């Protein structure tokens, strides 16, 4: 169906009103002309008859007029073609919309698929979904704990899901980052945790070799990577898994789970001996399940981090949340730092950071920012950024702190003696104890005086089920999805048949514009250079002034107030 042009008809009242205004305007102009006195417009004298090459100049003038007329006609045709193109595109879009409405179910299915693709991978629901996949697919689950705060890294919901699954799933505790804890404290924790589940002392390699690392070592041969690639406990863990494979007589899948920044991916890399998984200081680097083949019988499944429940205390949320410190608000970060400082001894914190006595967290952060040189304009200490750095240090492997295990051992409600016996019967616990002793002896641990004493707040509740995950969707995410959807629709309506015609038309337009510019340009040497530059500056100033808003134009500039 052809599109009809909009009607230009007006109401009589409106038409008469316009005519009246025009008459009044003409009357006003005539009165002003009478006051000023009429001046006859100067006629163009033309080319004098005595001038040489008069006929040639007249011909050139006529030719210029003809060219300008031709250019105008071409431009008019190009505009008409552009309008026709737009109309065609609109017609196609309307036809496509009608088809989508007629199809109904198919179009709704496609839209759902698009929305699923556009879903953010960082969403809490996707993390829960991937974690559930890992737990269901794995025969043995490795719960990774930070040796500095093992109780804070334990998730009762995860342990209950594994133990009460009804199958033959086994749960092992891997005590990672043992090089940041004193030996006495490490031995206490191993004795405490082995009463519930088989526990392995582990120190993952901090830097793994890959293709980029080989180039780095070739260029700089003096760099010693032996210390950074040291790993303790990998042989013990592999041997334990191989023994379990022999007892089961089948290939097994091992899932590695835990809270953010406990070292899940680094454990997999150290077991494989190569950097197979991405590792970083930022929380939530792993966003989906990743399968790593260690040998023919064992596969390791890397999982995204467990999401800490919002009902946890401030300390657990500060150390175990999946949110990146760069994206969190300043108030949340300050609350987290306050909770950490309240659970540590003040004197040890002062000794570690070599800072004088402080009354509150804000004063502590200002002193630390001044010491490290993190200042804003005017020498104001950057409290927000230093708080984020401090949180990264405490979750990373920079600061050495340790927590004491509980004095009385109480089993959680989901654990019974039968479940504990079932978890321990498939593994050789004597060999495991000997291997743990060897790793503790071989490892170089910090002294109790250099390590900060930390008061643990108990187990951290986590959300494993997808339905319970609370989404915190922001407006910009919704806008991004809308924009991407609109771009997809525009791509669908691109023309395929008229591509060559469009290219030719664009070339014609460019040629016409170039000719028009040549005609309008002044002859070289006719005007001085200053005149040309002034025109360009004027045009640029006009373009800049158009970009400004009304508020900026009306605002008074105090810098121009000269005496």
């Amino acid at each position: 169906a052809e599109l009809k042009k909009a009607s230009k008809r007006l109401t009589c009242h409106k038409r008469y009103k316009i005519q009246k205004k025009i008459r009044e305007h003409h009357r006003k102009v005539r009165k002003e002309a009478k006051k000023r006195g009429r001046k006859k417009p100067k006629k163009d004298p033309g080319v004098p008859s005595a001038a040489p090459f008069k006929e040639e100049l007249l011909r050139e003038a006529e030719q210029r007029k003809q060219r300008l007329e031709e250019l105008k006609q071409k431009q008019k045709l190009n505009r008409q073609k552009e309008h026709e193109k737009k109309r065609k595109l609109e017609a196609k879009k309307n036809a496509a919309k009608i088809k989508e409405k007629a199809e109904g179910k198919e179009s709704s299915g496609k839209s759902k698929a698009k929305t699923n693709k556009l879903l953010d991978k960082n969403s809490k629901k996707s993390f829960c979904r991937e974690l559930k996949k890992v737990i269901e697919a794995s025969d043995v689950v490795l719960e990774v704990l930070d040796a500095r705060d093992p109780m804070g890294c334990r998730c009762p919901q995860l342990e209950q899901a594994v133990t009460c699954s009804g199958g033959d799933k086994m749960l092992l505790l891997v005590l990672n980052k043992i090089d940041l804890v004193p030996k006495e404290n490490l031995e206490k924790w191993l004795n405490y945790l082995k009463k519930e589940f088989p526990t392995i002392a582990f120190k993952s390699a901090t830097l793994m070799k890959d293709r980029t690392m080989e180039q780095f070592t070739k260029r700089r041969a003096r760099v010693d990577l032996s210390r950074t690639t040291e790993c303790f406990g990998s042989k013990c863990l592999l041997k334990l898994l191989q023994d379990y494979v022999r007892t089961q007589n089948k290939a097994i899948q091992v899932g590695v789970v835990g809270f953010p920044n406990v070292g899940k991916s680094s454990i997999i890399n150290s077991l494989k001996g190569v950097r197979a998984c991405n590792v970083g200081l930022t929380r939530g680097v792993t966003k989906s399940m990743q399968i790593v083949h260690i040998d023919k019988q064992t596969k390791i499944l890397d999982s995204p981090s467990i999401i800490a429940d919002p009902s946890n205390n401030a300390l657990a949320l500060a150390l175990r949340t999946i949110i990146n410190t760069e994206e969190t608000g300043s108030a949340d970060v300050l609350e987290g730092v306050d909770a950490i400082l309240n659970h540590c001894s003040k004197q040890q914190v002062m000794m570690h950071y070599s800072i004088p006595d402080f009354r509150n967290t804000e004063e502590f952060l200002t002193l630390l920012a001044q010491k490290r040189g993190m200042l804003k304009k005017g020498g104001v200490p950057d409290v927000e950024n230093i708080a984020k750095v401090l949180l990264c240090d405490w979750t990373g492997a920079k600061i050495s702190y340790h927590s004491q295990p509980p004095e009385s051992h109480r089993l959680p409600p989901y654990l019974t003696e039968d479940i504990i016996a079932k978890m321990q019967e498939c593994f050789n616990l004597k060999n495991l104890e000997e291997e743990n002793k060897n790793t503790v002896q071989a490892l170089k641990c910090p002294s109790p005086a250099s390590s900060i004493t930390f008061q643990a707040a108990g187990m951290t509740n986590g959300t494993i089920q997808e339905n319970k995950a609370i989404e915190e969707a922001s407006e910009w995410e919704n806008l991004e999805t809308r924009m991407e959807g609109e771009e997809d629709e525009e791509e669908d309506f691109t023309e395929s048949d008229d591509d060559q015609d469009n290219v030719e038309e664009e070339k014609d337009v460019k040629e016409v514009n170039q000719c028009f510019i040549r005609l309008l340009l002044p002859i070289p040497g006719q005007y001085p250079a200053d005149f040309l530059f002034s025109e360009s500056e004027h045009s640029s100033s006009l373009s800049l002034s158009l970009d400004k808003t009304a508020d900026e134009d009306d605002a008074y500039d105090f810098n121009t107030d000269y005496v």
Side-chain angles (χ1 to χ4, degrees):
E2 293 181 2
L3 293 165
K4 291 181 180 179
K5 289 184 179 179
S7 177
K8 292 181 181 178
R9 293 173 75 182
L10 297 169
T11 58
C12 291
H13 174 72
K14 202 170 187 180
R15 192 167 68 250
Y16 295 148
K17 199 175 182 182
I18 291 160
Q19 286 171 4
K20 191 180 177 183
K21 289 268 183 187
I22 290 162
R23 272 189 253 114
E24 284 174 1
H25 174 70
H26 287 314
R27 201 180 296 125
K28 195 178 180 182
V29 170
R30 271 188 252 116
K31 278 184 180 180
E32 285 176 359
K34 274 183 183 179
K35 284 177 184 178
R36 275 180 281 163
R38 290 184 182 180
K39 288 182 180 179
K40 289 182 180 179
K42 287 183 179 180
K43 288 183 180 179
D44 185 17
V47 182
S49 56
F53 311 109
K54 181 183 175 180
E55 291 178 0
E56 289 178 6
L57 289 167
L58 290 168
R59 278 176 205 161
E60 283 178 5
E62 282 177 6
Q63 283 173 3
R64 280 178 189 171
K65 279 183 183 179
Q66 285 176 0
R67 283 176 198 165
L68 285 167
E69 284 175 5
E70 286 173 4
L71 284 167
K72 282 177 183 178
Q73 285 177 358
K74 279 185 180 180
Q75 284 176 351
K76 200 175 182 181
L77 288 167
N78 289 328
R79 281 177 209 146
Q80 287 175 358
K81 284 178 182 177
E82 283 176 3
H83 285 304
E84 283 173 9
K85 277 184 204 173
K86 284 177 183 177
R87 283 175 189 171
K88 282 179 185 178
L89 281 169
E90 283 173 4
K92 281 187 178 181
K93 282 181 183 180
N94 292 327
K97 281 177 184 177
I98 292 157
K99 278 183 183 179
E100 280 180 2
K101 284 177 184 177
E103 284 171 4
K105 290 180 182 179
E106 292 178 8
S107 63
S108 63
K110 284 178 184 177
S111 64
K112 280 179 185 177
K114 278 184 182 179
T115 50
N116 288 331
K117 282 179 186 177
L118 294 168
L119 275 172
D120 189 12
K121 287 184 180 179
N122 291 324
S123 64
K124 292 181 179 180
K125 284 187 178 180
S126 68
F127 272 72
C128 289
R129 203 184 303 122
E130 293 295 319
L131 184 66
K132 200 175 180 182
K133 277 184 196 175
V134 172
I135 293 163
E136 286 174 358
S138 55
D139 301 308
V140 179
V141 179
L142 301 179
E143 190 180 9
V144 184
L145 312 176
D146 193 335
R148 297 173 290 183
D149 183 20
M151 285 301 283
C153 294
R154 285 182 71 178
C155 179
Q157 286 80 11
L158 175 86
E159 291 177 6
Q160 190 174 358
V162 175
T163 52
C164 303
S165 60
D168 296 330
K169 289 186 194 293
M170 295 291 154
L171 185 68
L172 295 174
L173 301 178
V174 181
L175 206 64
N176 195 21
K177 299 182 184 180
I178 55 172
D179 58 324
L180 301 171
V181 174
K183 280 186 182 180
E184 293 174 2
N185 185 259
L186 179 61
E187 286 169 358
K188 283 178 186 178
W189 273 113
L190 287 168
N191 292 327
Y192 179 83
L193 293 168
K194 74 178 182 182
K195 292 173 185 176
E196 295 180 18
F197 297 105
T199 310
I200 302 136
F202 203 93
K203 190 260 170 186
S204 56
T206 53
L207 189 68
M208 299 306 299
K209 287 184 180 179
D210 56 358
R211 289 176 185 175
T212 55
M213 190 54 65
E214 284 171 13
Q215 292 174 3
F216 178 74
T217 48
K218 280 176 188 176
R219 287 178 187 175
R220 299 181 184 178
R222 290 183 184 179
V223 177
D224 184 25
L225 298 169
S226 60
R227 191 178 177 184
T228 54
T229 53
E230 278 180 347
C231 177
F232 295 93
S234 59
K235 289 179 182 178
C236 172
L237 184 55
L238 286 169
K239 194 178 179 183
L240 206 69
L241 294 171
Q242 284 166 5
D243 292 340
Y244 183 71
V245 168
R246 283 169 198 162
T247 54
Q248 295 293 313
N249 289 323
K250 64 169 187 178
I252 59 162
Q253 289 186 337
V254 182
V256 183
V257 294
F259 282 102
N261 273 38
V262 290
K264 300 181 291 295
S265 300
S266 55
I267 284 168
I268 294 165
N269 290 339
S270 52
L271 289 170
K272 180 74 176 172
V274 182
R275 189 174 178 179
C277 303
N278 288 329
V279 181
L281 289 170
T282 53
R283 306 180 189 188
V285 174
T286 308
K287 291 167 188 174
S288 59
M289 186 175 75
Q290 189 178 351
I291 300 164
V292 179
H293 295 263
I294 289 182
D295 53 39
K296 290 179 181 179
Q297 299 296 320
T298 52
K299 287 179 189 176
I300 290 188
L301 310 176
D302 192 9
S303 69
S305 305
I306 301 164
I307 296 155
D309 198 79
S311 61
N312 287 307
N313 55 5
L315 180 70
L317 291 171
L319 295 173
R320 308 289 165 234
T321 42
I322 206 161
I323 304 159
N324 190 2
T325 51
E326 291 176 5
E327 295 174 0
T328 49
S330 59
D332 297 333
V333 174
L334 290 168
E335 279 178 17
V337 173
D338 189 25
I340 289 165
L341 291 173
N342 288 333
H343 284 77
C344 298
S345 68
K346 193 177 180 181
Q347 290 180 352
Q348 286 182 336
V349 169
M350 285 160 61
M351 288 286 287
H352 180 80
Y353 289 104
S354 61
I355 279 172
D357 191 14
F358 55 90
R359 287 171 288 179
N360 50 20
T361 51
E362 286 185 10
E363 193 177 346
F364 166 75
L365 290 168
T366 50
L367 290 166
L368 190 64
Q370 284 171 356
K371 194 198 168 189
R372 293 195 178 179
M374 290 186 79
L375 306 170
K376 292 180 183 178
K377 284 183 179 180
V380 179
D382 197 353
V383 175
E384 291 177 10
N385 282 328
I386 199 72
K388 289 171 185 178
V389 169
L390 190 128
L391 271 181
C392 286
D393 290 351
W394 276 76
T395 50
K398 275 195 175 183
I399 295 166
S400 172
Y401 62 91
H402 64 278
S403 59
Q404 295 295 332
E407 293 177 2
S408 60
H409 188 271
R410 289 181 183 179
L411 288 173
Y414 55 85
L415 273 181
T416 57
E417 290 181 0
D418 295 332
I419 291 166
I420 292 164
K422 186 188 171 185
M423 292 290 166
Q424 292 178 351
E425 68 184 3
C426 295
F427 302 104
N428 193 349
L429 298 175
K430 287 182 180 179
N431 291 337
L432 182 62
E433 281 182 18
E434 286 175 6
E435 290 288 338
N436 283 336
K437 281 179 184 178
N438 293 332
T439 52
V440 170
Q441 285 175 3
L443 195 71
K444 190 178 179 181
C445 294
S447 61
S450 62
S451 182
I452 299 165
T453 52
F454 182 78
Q455 292 177 3
M459 289 188 183
T460 307
N461 293 319
T463 51
I464 296 165
Q465 293 180 4
E466 192 179 340
N467 300 328
K468 291 182 181 179
I470 298 163
E471 288 294 336
E472 294 174 358
S474 56
E475 290 179 3
W476 66 269
E477 285 177 353
N478 297 330
L479 284 168
E480 280 184 352
T481 53
R482 284 174 197 165
M483 290 290 286
E484 286 177 11
E486 285 173 7
E487 284 175 5
D488 293 340
E489 284 179 3
E490 284 177 5
E491 285 174 4
D492 294 337
F493 296 121
T494 51
E495 293 181 350
S496 58
D497 298 330
D498 303 331
D499 286 341
Q500 291 179 354
D501 297 336
N502 294 341
V503 172
E504 288 174 4
E505 284 165 8
E506 284 174 3
K507 284 180 181 177
D508 293 337
V509 172
K510 283 180 182 177
E511 285 176 5
V512 169
N513 290 332
Q514 284 175 1
C515 295
F516 193 69
I517 289 157
R518 282 172 197 161
L519 287 167
L520 292 172
L521 278 170
I523 300 158
Q526 192 173 357
Y527 300 106
D530 297 335
F531 175 77
L532 296 172
F533 282 116
S534 65
E535 280 186 347
S536 63
E537 285 169 8
H538 180 66
S539 63
S540 63
S541 66
L542 279 168
S543 63
L544 287 165
S545 65
L546 288 167
D547 294 332
K548 288 183 180 180
T549 56
D551 297 332
E552 287 176 354
D553 290 333
D554 295 337
Y556 181 78
D557 190 10
F558 288 96
N559 295 327
T560 57
D561 194 7
Y562 299 106
V563 179

